[in-house]
Amino acid sequence: MTVKELWITRHGFREDWVTSDPHLPTGLANDPPLSELGLEQAEELGVFLRDKGIERVYCSPFYRCLQTVTPFVKTSGVPLYIDFSMSEWYGAAYDRYLPPAPISELQQRFPHLKTDHTSSIPCPEGVESVTRCHQRVKEGLDILLDKLDKENVHTVLLAGHAASVIAAVRVLLDDVEYPVRCGTASVSKLVRKDDGSWELEVNGDASHLKQGEQRSWMFSGDVPDYEKNKKTVK
């Protein structure tokens, strides 16, 4: 076991939370960018992470997640990879969820994105229940951590969405009901013990953000509470 520390962050504040007509860089309605506040949070997160010894970043392929880690990656030079373990397809609000932009397109928009990593799991299809979301995240992280152990990597940042971040902390703790805090651009830190289990040292901390914790969220059944009154495809 060489991976000793995992930092996990959620994307910053979304533009579609402040306007009904957000700019869509990838042309996908389910892929809004960060708002002005979200971009500020990304910069603050980047400063916070500078001295944490992070060696690699594994991120959801959605635009807002890549934007969130870009300030850190640009200043640190730490390799950035896409891994579908941190993506989000949670919630039975719709019959289908649209896929993210192709990695080849994302690499053009985010030049620091590396393409020499094969995601731990394929891009999910369909929608996920709470249970399936946890299962999918666990499946991906088990494979990813095994790979990183063999490559002698010690400290990693995972970046995703509320559902995948909460699920990641829970499956690492082996406690699917653990009350994970998960505001935008917040950070959790897990440390691996000698017996291979994980201990949570930081739970959704937002003290590095000037405006503090924003949009903290928790599972509320198989339909996300923020989707219950919407009718369009995510």
Side-chain angles (χ1 to χ4, degrees):
M1 299 182 300
T2 62
V3 181
K4 298 298 183 183
E5 291 185 358
L6 283 176
W7 291 88
I8 307 180
T9 190
R10 179 187 176 191
H11 63 76
F13 210 90
R14 293 164 48 157
E15 187 176 327
D16 60 330
W17 290 341
V18 297
T19 176
S20 60
D21 186 27
H23 172 59
L24 298 172
T26 62
L28 301 173
N30 60 314
D31 198 18
L34 297 180
S35 67
E36 182 176 343
L37 171 58
L39 293 171
E40 292 174 358
Q41 291 177 325
E43 293 290 342
E44 293 163 352
L45 176 67
V47 172
F48 173 80
L49 293 173
R50 284 179 188 171
D51 63 352
K52 303 303 184 289
I54 293 167
E55 299 165 77
R56 296 189 191 177
V57 179
Y58 291 89
C59 185
S60 163
F62 287 98
Y63 200 89
R64 55 195 179 275
C65 296
L66 288 163
Q67 278 186 297
T68 299
V69 299
T70 289
F72 169 67
V73 170
K74 287 177 65 175
T75 58
S76 68
V78 171
L80 168 63
Y81 302 99
I82 293 296
D83 200 277
F84 294 123
S85 63
M86 293 308 296
S87 297
E88 180 175 334
W89 280 264
Y90 156 70
Y94 312 104
D95 294 332
R96 63 188 179 94
Y97 276 47
L98 300 176
I103 292 179
S104 58
E105 177 183 340
L106 294 173
Q107 205 277 331
Q108 294 177 8
R109 297 178 178 275
F110 298 94
H112 295 85
L113 179 62
K114 307 294 184 183
T115 57
D116 57 344
H117 163 72
T118 300
S119 176
S120 59
I121 54 176
C123 182
E125 297 180 359
V127 298
E128 295 179 328
S129 64
V130 175
T131 298
R132 179 54 191 153
C133 180
H134 284 71
Q135 291 171 340
R136 187 256 306 168
V137 172
K138 176 174 171 51
E139 177 186 356
L141 291 186
D142 283 349
I143 295 170
L144 179 61
L145 289 172
D146 182 65
K147 173 181 181 292
L148 296 175
D149 281 340
K150 294 174 180 176
E151 295 179 358
N152 200 34
V153 177
H154 297 88
T155 305
V156 172
L157 173 67
L158 305 175
H161 310 258
S164 59
V165 168
I166 293 169
V169 174
R170 286 176 166 182
V171 299
L172 290 166
L173 295 178
D174 195 23
D175 182 351
V176 296
E177 296 185 354
Y178 193 89
V180 182
R181 297 201 66 86
C182 194
T184 53
S186 63
V187 290
S188 292
K189 177 186 177 183
L190 294 102
V191 176
R192 208 176 201 171
K193 298 189 288 187
D194 291 341
D195 63 2
S197 63
W198 290 91
E199 180 178 9
L200 185 65
E201 285 195 352
V202 178
N203 186 5
D205 181 58
S207 61
H208 55 287
L209 304 174
K210 292 180 181 178
Q211 296 198 37
E213 186 180 66
Q214 300 282 332
R215 302 284 292 220
S216 188
W217 179 91
M218 182 54 65
F219 287 104
S220 58
D222 287 340
V223 177
D225 54 5
Y226 55 81
E227 299 285 4
K228 288 180 179 177
N229 295 321
K230 293 184 179 180
K231 301 298 183 183
T232 58
V233 174
K234 182 176 178 181

